[in-house]
């Protein structure tokens, strides 16, 4: 059904989350602390790129304005992106990189798990694929959180610091707005408050095994998924990601 | 075993390509522990759908024959062709064996 603004906004959020996190992880090509871990992180990034392509293609079809995946990925500016703030934060040290991946993968586990039962057939298909990929992302990141948290004094301190700093960006994941509410009402998307219970169980279990404290955040940042207030970091991501398309629009070979 | 990351132990990786076939040695990697070795083996050696099962084994657990033992170990078999099952006449009805 072309021109369904709420569905378009919702699918764009899903696609942008995958695209921006993939771009962040891709920064580690050639720079990850270990060769083996680099392969693992880049495989995850590639899973996310694949997911972003499916979602942005679908978003373009819903919009019905002739924009394909590339137009949506490369020809939108900061204010038109709808990803959560959590995925656009810099990688920081390895604890931050892994901590963010863990928090997002735990969210994706819930989100795509619920989307397998969506009233929307395309989202069900995409979710079927995403659930399997995410199970591995979560396992990999979770194993690292446990090793760093329950590792040396320094790794514990860095992992705890990373979680403490990332925590204020987790509130946005579960704060429904009008788009989320409409999607839940139409049985396309999940009730975010229900997702939060599953996410809490997963996160708490890993933090306990990692001997880490669950951070207490009094204030939660918002503004990514509705595009009102992205962090200053998103512009730099786009500058790098979109450079080629901006400099040589519609070039078919370089 | 030291925790210095530069001295992570080596694990040998074995992948079973399909059910019914044996695990085959495909390579090795460095990892801090067996579980992480298994995850990395998946990313390094099975990311193109090569396998249905992976084993990782500490390289230190492998006892290997030495190059200088080659004559004593293997040369004596070179003139014992009767150990090859090549002297049988296979009845035509047995098509594949």
């Amino acid at each position: 059904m072309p021109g369904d603004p709420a569905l378009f906004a919702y699918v764009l959020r899903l696609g942008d989350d995958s695209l921006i996190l993939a771009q962040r992880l891709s920064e580690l090509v050639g720079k990850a602390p270990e060769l083996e871990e680099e392969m693992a992180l880049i495989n995850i990034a590639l899973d996310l790129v694949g997911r972003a392509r499916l979602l942005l293609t679908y978003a373009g079809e819903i919009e019905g304005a002739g924009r394909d995946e590339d137009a949506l990925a490369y020809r939108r500016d900061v204010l038109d992106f709808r990803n959560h703030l959590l995925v656009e934060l810099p990688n920081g040290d390895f604890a931050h990189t892994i901590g963010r991946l863990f928090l997002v993968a735990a969210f994706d586990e819930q989100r795509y798990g619920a989307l397998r039962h969506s009233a929307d057939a395309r989202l069900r298909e995409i979710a079927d694929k995403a659930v399997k990929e995410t199970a591995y992302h979560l396992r990999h990141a979770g194993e690292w959180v446990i090793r760093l948290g329950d590792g040396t004094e320094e790794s514990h301190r860095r992992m705890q610091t990373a979680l403490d700093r990332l925590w204020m960006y987790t509130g946005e994941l579960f704060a429904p707005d009008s788009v989320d509410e409409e999607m839940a009402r139409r049985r396309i998307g999940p009730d975010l408050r229900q997702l939060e219970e599953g996410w809490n169980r997963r996160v708490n279990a890993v933090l306990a095994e990692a001997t880490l404290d669950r951070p207490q955040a009094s204030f939660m940042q918002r503004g990514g998924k509705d595009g009102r207030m992205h962090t200053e970091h998103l512009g730099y991501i786009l500058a790098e990601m979109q450079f080629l398309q901006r400099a040589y629009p519609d070039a078919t070979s370089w | 075993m030291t925790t210095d990351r530069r001295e992570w132990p080596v694990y040998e990786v074995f992948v079973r390509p399909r059910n019914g076939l044996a695990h085959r040695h495909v390579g090795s990697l460095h990892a801090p522990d067996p579980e992480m070795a298994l995850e990395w083996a998946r990313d390094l050696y099975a990311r193109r759908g090569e396998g249905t099962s992976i084993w990782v084994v500490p390289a230190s657990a492998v006892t290997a024959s030495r190059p200088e033992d080659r004559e004593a170990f293997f040369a004596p078999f070179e003139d014992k062709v009767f150990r090859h099952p090549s002297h049988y006449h296979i009845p035509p009805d047995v098509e594949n064996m």
Side-chain angles (χ1 to χ4, degrees):
Chain A
M1 45 182 142
D4 183 336
L7 183 58
F8 173 68
Y10 184 68
V11 175
L12 205 54
R13 288 177 184 181
L14 294 170
D16 285 351
D17 275 348
S18 293
L19 181 66
I20 299 300
L21 184 54
Q23 187 68 15
R24 273 294 183 223
L25 288 173
S26 302
E27 290 171 16
L28 293 162
V29 173
K31 297 180 194 163
E34 292 290 331
L35 180 64
E36 290 88 345
E37 180 61 16
E38 182 169 311
M39 293 292 290
L41 292 174
I42 300 319
N43 277 343
I44 291 172
L46 282 172
D47 285 347
L48 294 172
V49 169
R51 194 181 299 175
R53 294 189 59 188
L54 295 173
L55 289 161
L56 293 181
T57 297
Y58 183 36
E61 291 170 20
I62 297 164
E63 186 189 40
R67 289 202 282 183
D68 63 5
E69 51 177 319
D70 286 335
L72 287 171
Y74 297 122
R75 306 237 182 127
R76 278 181 298 152
D77 212 340
V78 172
L79 295 176
D80 298 322
F81 270 76
R82 293 291 180 270
N83 55 281
H84 291 93
L85 297 177
L86 184 56
V87 300
E88 71 195 41
L89 300 175
N91 285 324
D93 65 6
F94 186 65
H96 275 79
T97 303
I98 279 297
R100 182 250 304 277
L101 180 60
F102 169 66
L103 296 171
V104 174
F107 179 58
D108 277 349
E109 178 190 40
Q110 299 299 318
R111 167 162 72 166
Y112 286 105
L115 283 172
R116 291 178 107 169
H117 311 289
S118 170
D120 185 285
R122 280 283 282 281
L123 286 179
R124 281 203 303 276
E125 274 173 37
I126 294 168
D128 273 339
K129 183 168 179 286
V131 161
K132 292 171 203 150
E133 295 166 346
T134 295
Y136 181 77
H137 306 170
L138 181 57
R139 169 181 166 153
H140 184 72
E143 290 289 338
W144 265 123
V145 171
I146 291 165
R147 278 163 179 71
L148 296 174
D150 194 18
T152 66
E153 202 175 310
E154 182 180 2
S155 72
H156 179 91
R157 176 177 54 75
R158 284 177 179 247
M159 195 65 239
Q160 186 68 58
T161 302
L163 288 171
D164 291 346
R165 289 190 186 156
L166 292 167
W167 203 254
M168 72 166 88
Y169 298 95
T170 60
E172 188 185 23
L173 304 175
F174 305 108
D177 65 0
S178 60
V179 170
D180 296 312
E181 280 162 6
E182 180 176 338
M183 289 298 104
R185 199 166 54 243
R186 290 165 60 186
R187 310 230 171 260
I188 293 173
D191 180 342
L192 294 187
R193 279 158 294 222
Q194 283 174 11
L195 296 193
E196 191 170 13
E197 290 171 29
W199 186 84
N200 278 329
R201 272 196 301 278
R202 173 69 75 184
V203 169
N204 291 347
V206 169
L207 295 192
E209 194 175 344
T211 71
L212 293 162
D213 295 324
R214 186 183 159 104
Q216 304 292 328
S218 53
F219 174 73
M220 288 291 183
Q221 297 281 358
R222 289 186 194 168
K225 69 178 176 183
D226 54 21
R228 277 188 301 112
M229 184 102 70
H230 280 287
T231 67
E232 70 272 29
H233 307 296
L234 183 59
Y236 292 97
I237 299 176
L238 299 187
E240 187 167 330
M241 186 177 80
Q242 297 179 333
F243 166 75
L244 216 49
Q245 271 292 334
R246 300 281 191 192
Y248 304 97
D250 298 319
T252 52
S253 62
W254 292 292
Chain B
M1 198 176 295
T2 167
T3 53
D4 187 331
R5 73 180 186 89
R6 283 168 299 182
E7 296 183 25
W8 279 351
V10 175
Y11 289 82
E12 300 297 335
V13 181
F14 300 78
V15 172
R16 181 165 69 189
R18 290 199 310 277
N19 280 331
L21 297 182
H23 285 76
R24 291 190 58 166
H25 185 239
V26 293
S28 56
L29 52 79
H30 290 264
D33 55 52
E35 289 77 19
M36 199 55 80
L38 186 61
E39 296 197 2
W40 281 340
R42 178 257 197 197
D43 286 308
L44 285 164
Y45 294 111
R47 71 203 163 93
R48 298 186 184 90
E50 289 94 333
T52 58
S53 169
I54 303 175
W55 290 348
V56 290
V57 177
S60 60
V62 174
T63 306
S65 63
R66 293 175 297 178
E68 56 266 38
D69 289 337
R70 201 169 67 196
E71 292 221 326
F73 260 55
F74 305 111
F77 306 132
E78 282 170 6
D79 60 350
K80 296 183 175 64
V81 291
F82 51 86
R83 289 189 179 163
H84 293 278
S86 56
H87 298 273
Y88 298 94
H89 293 288
I90 299 173
D93 290 345
V94 180
E95 290 177 351
N96 299 305
M97 191 170 153

